[in-house]
Amino acid sequence: EAFQSAADCLHRLLPTAVSAYYEYNSQADRLKCSFKAGHQSELLNGLEMSLGDRVSGWTAATGTASLNSHATLDLRELADRFSPPLRSVLAVPLVAGNDLVGVFTLYSDLPDAFSHDHEVIASTLGRAFVMCFADLTLTPPHSRGPQSIPDDG
């Protein structure tokens, strides 16, 4: 599966504890966590936000990556339920042509964990993730329900 491959790669390359794909629903103008990976990622089950709300929603609305915002700005009190608590966020917008697809968001338990190089890596893998779904004509991302990726640790 495309998200699992991207998440596995990112978790090896970057100081990432949890990663999430927030799928954009244009009719509802909302983002919903459709895929997630990492330690305790099940805490993200059912997480939704409006376009422009929180860090991931802002990233989606502006089309601009967000680097090292505090995790509580995205997850609110949920950030402290992780062990260890999540402290920083890297969020990159995912687009296909001119259309917003979603946001690829990485969380770390370290403050200011991510660098500009990490942003470039996440953006590159995010584009590859979008291209994988563009090639799937029978099961696009919006037709699937939330899925959890097994935790390696």
Side-chain angles (χ1 to χ4, degrees):
E1 182 166 301
F3 184 80
Q4 182 168 0
S5 296
D8 288 346
C9 184
L10 287 172
H11 288 242
R12 284 189 200 100
L13 295 173
L14 309 180
T16 304
V18 177
S19 55
Y21 166 59
Y22 293 98
E23 181 180 356
Y24 178 58
N25 179 327
S26 61
Q27 293 174 338
D29 208 26
R30 293 183 62 79
L31 296 165
K32 181 176 183 178
C33 183
S34 296
F35 298 97
K36 60 215 175 299
H39 182 64
Q40 297 181 296
S41 63
E42 68 277 359
L43 291 172
L44 301 179
N45 285 345
L47 183 60
E48 291 189 40
M49 63 193 75
S50 296
L51 190 70
D53 190 28
R54 306 182 187 206
V55 176
S56 295
W58 179 87
T59 295
T62 64
T64 304
S66 177
L67 183 65
N68 287 322
S69 293
H70 198 284
T72 57
L73 294 174
D74 201 48
L75 299 176
R76 301 190 175 140
E77 68 280 347
L78 192 58
D80 290 327
R81 292 185 52 203
F82 286 83
S83 180
L86 300 177
R87 293 295 173 238
S88 55
V89 177
L90 168 58
V92 295
L94 302 178
V95 295
N98 292 325
D99 297 326
L100 175 66
V101 175
V103 177
F104 201 20
T105 304
L106 310 176
Y107 301 97
S108 179
D109 55 5
L110 303 171
D112 300 319
F114 300 107
S115 70
H116 177 69
D117 289 341
H118 294 148
E119 179 186 331
V120 171
I121 292 167
S123 294
T124 301
L125 283 174
R127 283 191 299 275
F129 177 69
V130 169
M131 289 189 321
C132 285
F133 280 120
D135 291 340
L136 299 175
T137 56
L138 298 176
T139 54
H142 64 272
S143 71
R144 301 177 182 203
Q147 297 185 14
S148 183
I149 303 194
D151 181 13
D152 290 338

